[in-house]
Amino acid sequence: MPDTFDFSARRVVVTGAAQGFGRAICQAFTSRGATVFACDIQSGGVEETARLCGPSCHAFTLNVADSQGVTALFDELIEKHGPVDTLVNNAGGVAGQTGLPIEQVTLAQWQAIVDVNLTGAFLMSQAAAPAMKQQKFGRIVNISSRAGLDVSLTGIQAYAGAKAGQIGLTRQLAHELGPWNITVNNVAPGFIRSNPSTEKQWQAMGKEGQAQLIDRIALKRLGAPEDIAHAVLFFASPWANWVTGQVLSVDGGR
């Protein structure tokens, strides 16, 4: 087996591709030959990702919580490019929210975060599954968070709940889709300064809080978006052919 991954035969959908982890994942796949369909609700950002990745990356504006939009995307991809065999559900985040006491959280605030982090992963996987079943091959990688395994640094109940739910969805789909040679795995990143939201969070910690966070990490340093992309490549590669339903914490050691 080669030492480097060759994805030249793969068609890969990546959500949340306008910045941060999503952009790094798109770059990692395209640099190894894949045809990538970068999706994000932020049209300008996702178009910039496609520009940075080159001609094998195609940008789509998509709200992953819009079931009709998701169905239309996969119909278009199958018609123009053929069936998708790899899906990375990276879209997520806190939807611009900050932590509040539970009695002050509105249903709309709760739903906005659950929609992008959990419902979106469900809808995208649902749309991708039929073609993967027909091919008897597929790779789904969900990007959750340490918040799904532990307490969220954000203090946002919906974020912790949605990321934990996404991990449960990963395990359930791994068993459901396994008979068709479709693996479903999960990457749980630690805190990484990867987008405006995490940068704002980092600055709000102050020097003391930043030092405390780094001190809790075994490697005593923060990671980079490329560290998450590399974990995704592993799950999508032949090296993970017999790996499914797993959660890989990429957090520098806790």
Side-chain angles (χ1 to χ4, degrees):
M1 190 171 291
D3 293 332
T4 57
F5 300 142
D6 177 10
F7 293 105
S8 56
R10 296 288 192 90
R11 290 180 287 270
V12 184
V13 170
V14 181
T15 66
Q19 60 187 358
F21 299 159
R23 179 171 289 174
I25 292 165
C26 290
Q27 291 174 316
F29 273 112
T30 54
S31 68
R32 291 163 176 82
T35 299
V36 173
F37 308 107
C39 304
D40 202 292
I41 199 168
Q42 301 178 47
S43 57
V46 76
E47 287 168 5
E48 176 65 8
T49 294
R51 187 191 69 79
L52 291 170
C53 289
S56 62
C57 184
H58 309 271
F60 294 86
T61 302
L62 176 71
N63 176 358
V64 295
D66 174 7
S67 60
Q68 292 183 336
V70 169
T71 299
L73 169 71
F74 278 87
D75 287 345
E76 179 180 350
L77 294 182
I78 289 172
E79 181 180 351
K80 293 182 178 179
H81 301 278
V84 169
D85 49 52
T86 305
L87 168 64
V88 184
N89 286 311
N90 171 67
V94 298
Q97 298 181 36
T98 56
L100 292 171
I102 190 169
E103 63 268 24
Q104 296 179 22
V105 178
T106 68
L107 180 58
Q109 289 172 320
W110 168 274
Q111 197 63 57
I113 291 176
V114 171
D115 279 350
V116 68
N117 289 279
L118 180 56
T119 305
F122 165 76
L123 291 173
M124 295 295 292
S125 300
Q126 184 181 52
M132 290 182 178
K133 285 184 174 181
Q134 189 172 12
Q135 298 174 95
K136 290 186 168 49
F137 176 84
R139 297 290 178 262
I140 299 174
V141 185
N142 297 321
I143 310 298
S144 60
S145 169
R146 283 291 309 176
L149 297 167
D150 201 344
V151 176
S152 174
L153 293 175
T154 67
I156 298 174
Q157 304 87 349
Y159 185 71
K163 289 303 190 184
Q166 192 198 73
I167 290 171
L169 178 66
T170 297
R171 291 171 174 149
Q172 191 65 38
L173 290 181
H175 280 266
E176 178 180 341
L177 300 177
W180 287 272
N181 192 33
I182 302 168
T183 66
V184 188
N185 289 291
N186 198 292
V187 177
F191 180 83
I192 295 176
R193 297 166 66 183
S194 59
N195 57 50
S197 178
T198 54
E199 187 61 29
K200 182 178 179 181
Q201 199 177 344
W202 174 254
Q203 297 303 330
M205 293 177 191
K207 295 291 185 183
E208 184 177 349
Q210 293 167 5
Q212 289 174 352
L213 185 148
I214 291 175
D215 191 57
R216 292 195 295 269
I217 299 172
L219 290 175
K220 306 304 179 190
R221 60 179 173 83
L222 297 181
E226 291 74 20
D227 294 312
I228 307 308
H230 295 160
V232 172
L233 291 181
F234 166 70
F235 278 138
S237 78
W239 287 19
N241 276 346
W242 208 47
V243 180
T244 196
Q246 300 305 303
V247 181
L248 177 60
S249 294
V250 183
D251 57 12
R254 302 291 289 184

